[in-house]
Amino acid sequence: FKEAAKDPEQERKEVEYFRRQSKDIVLQGSKLNNVQIHFSKENLIKIKKEPVSRHYAVQTDIGQGSYGKVKRVRHNKLGEERAMKIVSKQSESSQNEIEILRRVSHPNIVNIYEIFEDSKKYYIITEMLDGGELFEFITNQGTFMENDASLLMKQILKGVNYLHSNHIVHRDLKPENIMLVRKPNSVKKYTLKIIDFGTAITINPGQKINKFI
């Protein structure tokens, strides 16, 4: 943003201009020169109606999720490796997943970068989680010390608590839907990320869920 002028009246006009530009701007601070401006993630991540190949080169298959294929891609300009989940537009679950991922932002939930669409599919670009599934990690480890297990559970519960505090229920939380960000040697240095929001829903406070999936 352009730096606000020192003149109080001009400063007030600029703040009012920013206020009108987006309903998601939140103004905090009692003085105009102490204004903080925040944009919602949902407002910033738009669905782009253009070929994903303009921005990303598809490399290899990563796996098959509950509601779509996942591929490794590389950003054409930045050179960064990311993951691309491809889901059908005919599936109601794909709409749920997109809307929820556009809203959430937490260290223990997969981060979304961009969304593309064509006539039949959505292409959801997320961060690359190269540490594998928690299920595989547990299987390979065999046994855990209580302290190590508590460190993993703490991260999972932080993510779940964030979702519930925003009235989101994942409904398919299992070790296969929790990924690790690879860090060397120690479980203490792993970051867990909750993925696969195909069955997730948003509920109202006090609403009960009695539908099986």
Side-chain angles (χ1 to χ4, degrees):
F1 290 116
K2 179 182 176 182
E3 183 178 357
K6 292 183 179 180
D7 177 68
E9 179 61 20
Q10 179 64 26
E11 195 171 355
R12 185 192 65 78
K13 290 180 179 179
E14 290 190 359
V15 171
E16 185 60 30
Y17 169 79
F18 290 136
R19 188 198 301 270
R20 292 196 302 269
Q21 294 308 299
S22 171
K23 64 181 180 180
D24 294 307
I25 290 179
V26 178
L27 301 178
Q28 298 176 343
S30 58
K31 297 181 180 179
L32 288 174
N33 62 2
N34 192 34
V35 170
Q36 299 178 25
I37 300 177
H38 303 281
F39 288 96
S40 74
K41 182 180 176 184
E42 184 176 9
N43 195 45
L44 294 175
I45 299 178
K46 302 295 185 181
I47 299 177
K48 301 176 181 179
K49 296 182 178 181
E50 56 182 298
V52 68
S53 58
R54 290 183 183 176
H55 303 272
Y56 292 92
V58 178
Q59 296 185 302
T60 58
D61 291 342
I62 297 176
Q64 180 83 33
S66 300
Y67 293 92
K69 295 180 180 179
V70 184
K71 295 179 179 290
R72 183 188 300 266
V73 297
R74 182 183 296 274
H75 194 280
N76 293 336
K77 292 183 178 180
L78 300 177
E80 294 181 358
E81 287 194 345
R82 296 175 179 175
M84 178 175 71
K85 185 172 184 179
I86 306 171
V87 294
S88 171
K89 297 180 76 171
Q90 296 181 352
S91 170
E92 182 180 352
S93 64
S94 64
Q95 299 283 349
N96 291 341
E97 182 163 22
I98 287 171
E99 292 307 312
I100 287 174
L101 286 176
R102 289 174 67 198
R103 288 173 48 201
V104 299
S105 179
H106 189 273
N108 299 117
I109 296 174
V110 63
N111 187 41
I112 185 173
Y113 291 120
E114 299 181 271
I115 307 168
F116 298 87
E117 69 171 334
D118 57 26
S119 60
K120 295 182 179 180
K121 297 177 181 178
Y122 290 112
Y123 304 84
I124 306 170
I125 308 296
T126 68
E127 63 183 315
M128 186 67 198
L129 307 176
D130 58 359
E133 296 177 355
L134 177 60
F135 178 81
E136 295 174 344
F137 184 80
I138 293 172
T139 302
N140 293 335
Q141 289 289 118
T143 58
F144 279 97
M145 296 298 292
E146 182 176 346
N147 184 56
D148 290 339
S150 69
L151 292 173
L152 295 177
M153 285 303 303
K154 183 177 181 180
Q155 293 187 63
I156 297 171
L157 293 175
K158 280 184 176 181
V160 172
N161 180 66
Y162 170 83
L163 292 173
H164 289 183
S165 66
N166 285 277
H167 313 300
I168 297 168
V169 184
H170 188 281
R171 299 203 302 171
D172 194 21
L173 199 62
K174 56 188 178 183
E176 292 90 337
N177 285 338
I178 300 172
M179 302 290 290
L180 290 84
V181 177
R182 190 185 302 279
K183 294 183 179 181
N185 300 326
S186 174
V187 68
K188 298 178 182 179
K189 296 182 180 179
Y190 275 94
T191 298
L192 299 187
K193 301 270 188 173
I194 298 172
I195 65 166
D196 207 346
F197 284 77
T199 60
I201 58 172
T202 301
I203 63 173
N204 297 318
Q207 178 182 345
K208 294 183 179 179
I209 303 174
N210 53 20
K211 182 179 178 180
F212 287 97
I213 59 173

